[in-house]
Amino acid sequence: MEHAFANSIETSTQRLVAEKQKSDLLLSRMLPLPVLRRLRAQRAVPAEAFDAVTIFFSDIVGFTTIAANSTPMEVINMLNMLYRLFDEKIMQYNVYKVETIGDAYMVVSGLPQRNGNRHASEIADMSLALVDSLRDARVPHRPADLLKIRAGVNTGPCVAGVVGATMPRYCLFGDTINTASRMETTGEAMKIHISHTTKKALDEIGNYIVESRGKIDIPGKGSMETFWLLGKMGNVQSESPRCMRLNDYDQNLLELIIRS
C-alpha cells in the first residue's frame, strides 16, 4: 500500500510539474523571457525607459474589403497563415514581437534587452525579409487576389512595462510608437516606409539603400520628410549572429523553467 501510495504521489507530482511547464511556456509567449525572469523573482516589474529602440508595424492592404467579402473562418485562416510565416521569420533576428491586433503586426528591437545601435539594422533586415517573403503571395481563399502588406518603421525612445495582473501584457508607450504606426498607415503596398530618425540610424550603420519620399503630411504629426527602405547592399542578413533560433529558445526556456 505504501509503495502504491508513493508511486501515486510521484505520478501526480510529475503531472503537476508538466502542467506548470506548459503554463510557464504559455506565459513566455506573452512576456519577454528577461521580463518573465524578473517577474518570477520580484513579483513585480517596474516600467523601464529606453533611449533608443526601433519599432515595426505592418498591416494588410485592403483588409477591410477582404474581410467584408470573406467568412470569419476564412479571415482567421488567412491571418493564421500570415502570422505563422512572420513568427517563423522574425525568430531569425534580435527582435521581440509585441502584439497583433486584427491585421496589424508589431515588432520591436532594442528592448527588453538593449543591443547597442543594432536595433535599427535588425528591424531593417527583418522588414526586408518579411516583405520579400510575400512577393506574389495570394489570399488563401481568393487565389486571384495578391496578399500585400504596408510596413512602417520608426526609431526613438520609449517606455516599456508589464500592464495588468489577471492577464499581464508587456506594453510600449511613447510618441515613438505613434510615429511608427503613422509610418505604416501612410505607407504604400509592399513598401517599407521609414522615418528620418530610422534613416539616420541606418546611415550610421551603412549599406542600406534608402530613397527620400519628400515631405508629406502625417496625421497628428504635421509635415515630415520620410523615406523608403529599398534594400541593402549585398545580401540581407538572413539570421542575426547573436539571436537564438526558435527551437533553441524553446529548449532553453524549458530548461530555465525546470531549474527555477
Side-chain angles (χ1 to χ4, degrees):
M1 288 290 292
E2 291 181 359
H3 181 70
F5 183 66
N7 287 340
S8 177
I9 292 178
E10 182 178 356
T11 300
S12 298
T13 301
Q14 291 174 350
R15 289 176 179 172
L16 179 61
V17 170
E19 290 302 318
K20 184 177 183 298
Q21 290 174 2
K22 290 179 183 179
S23 65
D24 283 346
L25 186 58
L26 179 61
L27 184 60
S28 75
R29 299 303 191 189
M30 301 167 61
L31 300 172
L33 183 55
V35 174
L36 178 58
R37 286 171 173 162
R38 292 199 296 269
L39 189 63
R40 291 173 65 89
Q42 304 170 11
R43 303 299 179 186
V45 180
E48 187 174 3
F50 296 85
D51 294 333
V53 301
T54 299
I55 310 285
F56 167 94
F57 275 97
S58 73
D59 74 351
I60 298 173
V61 176
F63 177 74
T64 302
T65 301
I66 294 173
N69 293 281
S70 307
T71 67
M73 190 61 70
E74 288 172 337
V75 173
I76 290 174
N77 288 339
M78 176 184 68
L79 292 177
N80 186 49
M81 179 206 74
L82 180 64
Y83 291 164
R84 285 174 66 90
L85 172 65
F86 280 10
D87 288 350
E88 181 178 352
K89 289 284 184 182
I90 70 171
M91 289 305 297
Q92 300 170 8
Y93 303 92
N94 185 237
V95 301
Y96 172 68
K97 175 184 172 183
V98 181
E99 62 182 345
T100 57
I101 303 176
D103 66 318
Y105 193 89
M106 180 183 179
V107 182
V108 61
S109 182
L111 63 79
Q113 291 181 305
R114 294 167 175 82
N115 56 7
N117 66 346
R118 288 175 48 221
H119 49 86
S121 61
E122 292 287 342
I123 289 290
D125 289 354
M126 181 207 75
S127 301
L128 291 167
L130 292 185
V131 171
D132 186 64
S133 70
L134 289 180
R135 300 290 180 192
D136 300 320
R138 305 277 172 171
V139 177
H141 58 281
R142 299 169 64 91
D145 296 337
L146 290 172
L147 180 59
K148 300 180 179 181
I149 64 167
R150 274 185 300 265
V153 177
N154 181 45
T155 300
C158 80
V159 172
V162 178
V163 176
T166 302
M167 191 176 222
R169 301 295 296 176
Y170 189 65
C171 299
L172 277 54
F173 301 92
D175 190 59
T176 296
I177 294 89
N178 297 331
T179 302
S181 178
R182 297 293 188 272
M183 291 297 101
E184 177 265 306
T185 56
T186 57
E188 296 179 3
M190 299 302 286
K191 289 187 176 182
I192 304 168
H193 192 204
I194 68 173
S195 66
H196 181 269
T197 53
T198 299
K199 190 259 186 186
K200 182 179 178 182
L202 293 178
D203 284 347
E204 293 176 358
I205 297 169
N207 295 327
Y208 289 92
I209 305 169
V210 175
E211 177 184 275
S212 175
R213 187 184 185 184
K215 289 191 174 182
I216 64 170
D217 185 57
I218 304 295
K221 307 296 296 182
S223 179
M224 293 176 59
E225 182 183 13
T226 61
F227 303 83
W228 300 118
L229 174 60
L230 303 179
K232 186 177 183 180
M233 297 177 190
N235 295 324
V236 174
Q237 185 174 293
S238 62
E239 181 178 338
S240 172
R242 300 180 187 179
C243 184
M244 294 183 295
R245 298 301 298 272
L246 178 61
N247 292 339
D248 296 333
Y249 175 85
D250 285 342
Q251 182 60 40
N252 289 351
L253 177 61
L254 285 174
E255 290 176 0
L256 170 69
I257 292 171
I258 292 170
R259 291 197 301 269
S260 60

